[in-house]
């Protein structure tokens, strides 16, 4: 059985970025695990936190529920603190992921890969889609972890299709939407989001059933009303357009974008 490990920066990233692919892989007979680099402790604090319950506690519970909705075979935590967005004071926390020594963090991931016998490791593109310090760190950590693992896994990068986003943005402007989101505007690191279509290798199309599984995974992260919550409020047709395709690239692969399955046989 082929094992695919998805390395994500925060609990809820898996739901909005790769949940459809994860569910499809599980149903196709793959063993699928997720590794969370941080505990997401700078996410939104739920209004109903119990006495003694932290934001990190709640987010770990939600991540477990999301994994159950997708049928994942394992959930692992690296134990780093959330670094916050670029320029936040949390960037200076010595316990945060962005400040973690690369060898240390990569070793933690490699230990999980070895224990799980991972054949594939999915990380992020070079700037983590939108420049969040933790997402950028995940990109570096994934490649080094693959080098340290006893059996080198295939490394793929999850990313966003900047050209597809631009086409939707231009269509929204043409339809008179004055608050449409411009994917070419500077993101958290000053760069536009995602990757150019010319750099992408695979597009995984989600049908209605897998889009519903993705929505269920996102819904599991109910406390995160400022991001996932807003995504779930999108009209169904907009939600499908935004989240119905998941994109991947492989460093050094010059094949053009294909709507195809990116992983080796199960």
């Amino acid at each position: 059985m082929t094992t695919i490990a998805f390395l994500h920066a925060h609990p809820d990233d898996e739901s909005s970025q790769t949940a459809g692919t994860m569910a499809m892989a599980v149903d196709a007979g793959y063993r699928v695990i997720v590794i969370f680099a941080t505990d997401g402790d700078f996410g939104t604090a739920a209004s109903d936190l119990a006495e003694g319950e932290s934001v990190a506690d709640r987010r770990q519970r939600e991540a477990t529920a999301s994994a159950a909705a997708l049928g994942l075979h394992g959930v692992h935590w690296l134990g780093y603190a959330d670094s916050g967005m670029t320029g936040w004071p949390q960037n200076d926390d010595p316990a945060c992921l962005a400040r973690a020594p690369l060898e240390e963090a990569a070793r933690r991931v490699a230990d999980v890969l070895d224990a799980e016998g991972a054949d594939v490791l999915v990380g992020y593109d070079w700037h983590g889609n939108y420049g969040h310090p933790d997402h950028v760190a995940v990109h570096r950590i994934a490649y080094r972890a693959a080098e340290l693992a006893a059996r080198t896994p295939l490394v793929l990068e999850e990313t966003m299709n900047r050209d597809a986003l631009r086409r939707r943005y231009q269509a929204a402007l043409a339809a008179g939407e004055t608050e449409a989101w411009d994917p070419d505007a500077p993101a958290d690191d000053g760069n536009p989001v995602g990757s150019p279509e010319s750099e992408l290798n695979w597009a995984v199309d989600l049908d209605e059933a897998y889009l519903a599984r993705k929505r269920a995974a996102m819904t599991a992260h109910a406390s995160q009303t400022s991001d996932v919550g807003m995504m779930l409020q999108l009209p169904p047709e907009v939600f499908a357009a935004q989240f119905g395709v998941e994109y991947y690239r492989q460093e050094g692969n010059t094949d053009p974008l294909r709507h195809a399955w990116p992983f080796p046989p199960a």
Side-chain angles (χ1 to χ4, degrees):
M1 180 182 292
T2 298
T3 297
I4 308 172
F6 288 80
L7 177 60
H8 280 286
H10 313 100
D12 82 13
D13 288 331
E14 88 293 350
S15 68
S16 59
Q17 298 179 47
T18 62
T21 303
M22 296 163 99
M24 291 176 70
V26 168
D27 289 353
Y30 294 81
R31 190 166 187 277
V32 183
I33 66 166
V34 63
I35 306 169
F36 292 109
T38 79
D39 56 14
D41 55 326
F42 286 110
T44 304
S47 59
D48 62 344
L49 285 178
E51 183 177 354
E53 182 185 20
S54 68
V55 172
D57 293 336
R58 175 61 63 88
R59 299 198 74 184
Q60 288 191 9
R61 284 173 48 198
E62 292 176 340
T64 300
S66 171
L70 299 173
L72 304 189
H73 300 90
V75 180
H76 299 266
W77 301 87
L78 298 189
Y80 291 104
D82 190 332
S83 305
M85 304 293 282
T86 300
W88 286 16
Q90 293 89 339
N91 296 171
D92 298 323
D93 181 353
C96 78
L97 181 67
R99 292 179 62 86
L102 177 60
E103 291 298 305
E104 172 195 282
R107 181 71 265 169
R108 294 186 190 185
V109 175
D111 287 346
V112 175
L113 300 179
D114 291 345
E116 295 282 4
D119 303 284
V120 182
L121 174 60
V122 179
Y124 298 154
D125 67 17
W126 70 274
H127 69 132
N129 270 321
Y130 66 101
H132 188 297
D134 288 333
H135 289 240
V136 175
V138 162
H139 171 81
R140 298 193 300 265
I141 291 166
Y143 277 99
R144 182 58 181 147
E147 294 173 344
L148 293 175
R151 185 178 64 188
T152 305
L154 170 69
V155 178
L156 299 182
E157 301 175 11
E158 180 276 330
T159 186
M160 298 170 71
N161 184 336
R162 188 184 305 158
D163 293 273
L165 292 172
R166 185 186 302 113
R167 290 191 288 269
R168 288 202 292 275
Y169 169 67
Q170 292 169 343
L173 291 181
E177 295 183 25
T178 58
E179 297 183 2
W181 171 59
D182 182 1
D184 292 308
D188 199 48
D189 62 350
N191 293 292
V193 299
S195 304
E197 194 166 271
S198 61
E199 296 180 3
L200 306 181
N201 302 115
W202 295 278
V204 176
D205 297 297
L206 309 184
D207 64 16
E208 186 174 330
Y210 284 112
L211 196 60
R213 292 272 292 278
K214 184 169 186 168
R215 180 180 282 275
M218 294 169 72
T219 302
H221 296 280
S223 69
Q224 300 311 295
T225 56
S226 63
D227 43 32
V228 170
M230 290 192 296
M231 297 172 189
L232 290 171
Q233 291 174 13
L234 294 171
E237 66 278 6
V238 177
F239 184 89
Q242 182 71 26
F243 296 105
V245 185
E246 296 173 350
Y247 295 95
Y248 301 89
R249 69 180 301 273
Q250 179 183 16
E251 185 66 26
N253 188 333
T254 59
D255 291 343
L257 177 64
R258 294 172 294 157
H259 287 257
W261 189 240
F263 303 114

